[in-house]
Amino acid sequence: MDKVERNRLAILEVLEKSTSPLSSPRIAQLLTHAGLTLSQRAVRLYLQQLEEEGLTKAFGKRGHMITDLGRSEIHASQIPLRMGYLSARIDQLTYAMTFDLATRTGQVVVNTSLVSPRILAEHLDKICTVFAKGYGMGNRVALLGPGEQIAGMVIPPDKVGFCTVCSITINGMLLKHGIPTISRFGGLLQLRNGRPWRFVEAIHYDGTTIDPLEVFIHSGMTNYMGAITDGNGLIGAGFREFPENARDKVLHLSQRFATVGLGGLWEVGLPNQPLLGFPVSPGRFGAVVIGGLNPIAILEELGYRVCSRAMSGLLDYCRLMVVDELHDAIKAFL
């Protein structure tokens, strides 16, 4: 990466961490603290170029803020360093999750989507229907207001952060009970009459730098409208493997997870037997988990581009609300 590109990315990274517009002097100061010396004039020239490319937006004398396109630029620049990142991220969050099933306290893993509160309110019924049909992880969600952060992701002034439970939460809860999980792949699951029938696409977690469900959703390959209308559609799901001698305990815990609104295993196979056509490793059994991004992803089918980040970070369980409370909660942001 040449010097100019490094400087551009450094400015974008500074802006990404801010909840308000930053002026050229302030950006230069923050860059100096990070070990990069750029004059205020140089910062202004870079900002002018970044604004022309749509990576930043000017707010007069108040300064600049990063755009969604700018965030995408940061993400793309890190690809050579991120091979194998997703599998490592799964392991990190599985270990870091602190939720205690007995006390119903601690942090769970969530996905975060940035969406306009107006659009969210307008299509909330369809989103809630995805949950009601059982195509979302559990029945709990959270709303983050403008300026709030989750793992360095700042909610922009015109958006809310729509947080859903990530299926990695199941990995973490099982690990707390001594049961290891192997996350095989994320896939596009075809439904027939509301039940899982087969995976039509699959991306292994150790071979990608982006969550597979994000790929399928943004590529327009899903069919959530069909799923909630007549039970025939294409939704996101994951494939897990567990030790065969832990099957009874896994089933029991899965039921307990569902009672606290965090979802459970949707389909469970038999030891050493294929599940939905996919073979499992010797001494293990397979299971299907619902994709946590499914509810908000229906907006993509309705023509809205939504910036979603799977496994975005950890959030206290007490921040989650029951889906039925969303109608009243969203009014505070309109």
Side-chain angles (χ1 to χ4, degrees):
M1 190 181 298
D2 60 30
K3 182 178 180 180
V4 171
E5 186 63 20
R6 283 199 303 271
N7 293 341
R8 283 163 48 92
L9 289 172
I11 292 173
L12 288 175
E13 288 170 355
V14 166
L15 291 173
E16 186 185 34
K17 296 175 182 177
S18 175
T19 60
S20 58
L22 295 179
S23 64
S24 299
R26 180 57 177 161
I27 293 174
Q29 182 183 41
L30 292 172
L31 288 173
T32 300
H33 292 164
L36 177 62
T37 302
L38 282 179
S39 67
Q40 295 180 24
R41 180 176 181 277
V43 171
R44 284 197 300 271
L45 292 175
Y46 277 117
L47 286 172
Q48 181 180 352
Q49 185 182 49
L50 293 170
E51 183 182 1
E52 290 173 354
E53 296 176 19
L55 304 181
T56 64
K57 182 178 179 180
F59 290 84
K61 294 182 179 180
R62 295 168 58 199
H64 283 71
M65 291 191 72
I66 193 170
T67 64
D68 289 343
L69 189 60
R71 293 186 183 89
S72 298
E73 180 69 15
I74 293 175
H75 180 83
S77 70
Q78 296 171 341
I79 290 298
L81 305 176
R82 290 166 58 91
M83 293 307 296
Y85 166 82
L86 195 62
S87 289
R89 177 71 170 164
I90 290 173
D91 292 340
Q92 290 167 359
L93 289 173
T94 297
Y95 183 77
M97 198 201 75
T98 61
F99 180 74
D100 183 86
L101 188 57
T103 62
R104 300 190 181 190
T105 59
Q107 294 182 315
V108 299
V109 186
V110 297
N111 314 294
T112 304
S113 300
L114 303 180
V115 60
S116 160
R118 179 188 60 80
I119 293 173
L120 184 60
E122 184 178 348
H123 300 286
L124 197 55
D125 288 344
K126 292 185 179 65
I127 293 171
C128 290
T129 301
V130 176
F131 279 107
K133 294 287 187 179
Y135 305 143
M137 273 296 294
N139 64 354
R140 304 262 174 165
V141 297
L143 291 179
L144 304 183
E148 289 195 80
Q149 298 187 37
I150 179 166
M153 183 182 188
V154 182
I155 311 303
D158 59 338
K159 303 284 177 62
V160 294
F162 187 86
C163 298
T164 55
V165 177
C166 178
S167 61
I168 301 304
T169 294
I170 291 181
N171 296 32
M173 289 193 290
L174 289 174
L175 183 62
K176 297 289 186 292
H177 289 81
I179 302 173
T181 302
I182 296 179
S183 298
R184 288 276 303 277
F185 62 81
L188 200 58
L189 182 63
Q190 185 172 8
L191 304 180
R192 278 194 173 181
N193 299 318
R195 295 300 305 163
W197 183 45
R198 63 181 179 182
F199 281 99
V200 297
E201 298 289 350
I203 299 177
H204 284 255
Y205 291 119
D206 58 1
T208 178
T209 60
I210 187 172
D211 188 272
L213 268 60
E214 293 182 39
V215 175
F216 300 133
I217 291 167
H218 294 318
S219 299
M221 300 171 67
T222 61
N223 182 11
Y224 293 102
M225 289 301 296
I228 65 173
T229 302
D230 59 12
N232 298 304
L234 295 167
I235 67 172
F239 196 92
R240 307 282 196 268
E241 286 186 358
F242 307 98
E244 64 174 336
N245 56 355
R247 189 173 185 274
D248 290 342
K249 189 174 182 179
V250 168
L251 288 172
H252 173 69
L253 288 171
S254 177
Q255 292 174 351
R256 291 184 62 192
F257 300 158
T259 63
V260 296
L262 297 179
L265 301 175
W266 201 33
E267 193 81 359
V268 179
L270 297 172
N272 305 305
Q273 297 295 317
L275 178 61
L276 300 182
F278 274 84
V280 298
S281 305
R284 299 196 176 103
F285 69 93
V288 174
V289 293
I290 288 290
L293 285 175
N294 287 349
I296 199 68
I298 200 168
L299 293 181
E300 294 273 350
E301 291 184 12
L302 297 173
Y304 300 101
R305 196 68 173 174
V306 178
C307 176
S308 294
R309 184 178 296 177
M311 297 181 284
S312 57
L314 299 167
L315 190 70
D316 282 331
Y317 176 78
C318 64
R319 289 293 305 270
L320 301 177
M321 71 183 83
V322 178
V323 172
D324 295 341
E325 300 172 351
L326 269 174
H327 287 88
D328 292 331
I330 194 64
K331 292 178 182 178
F333 300 99
L334 296 175

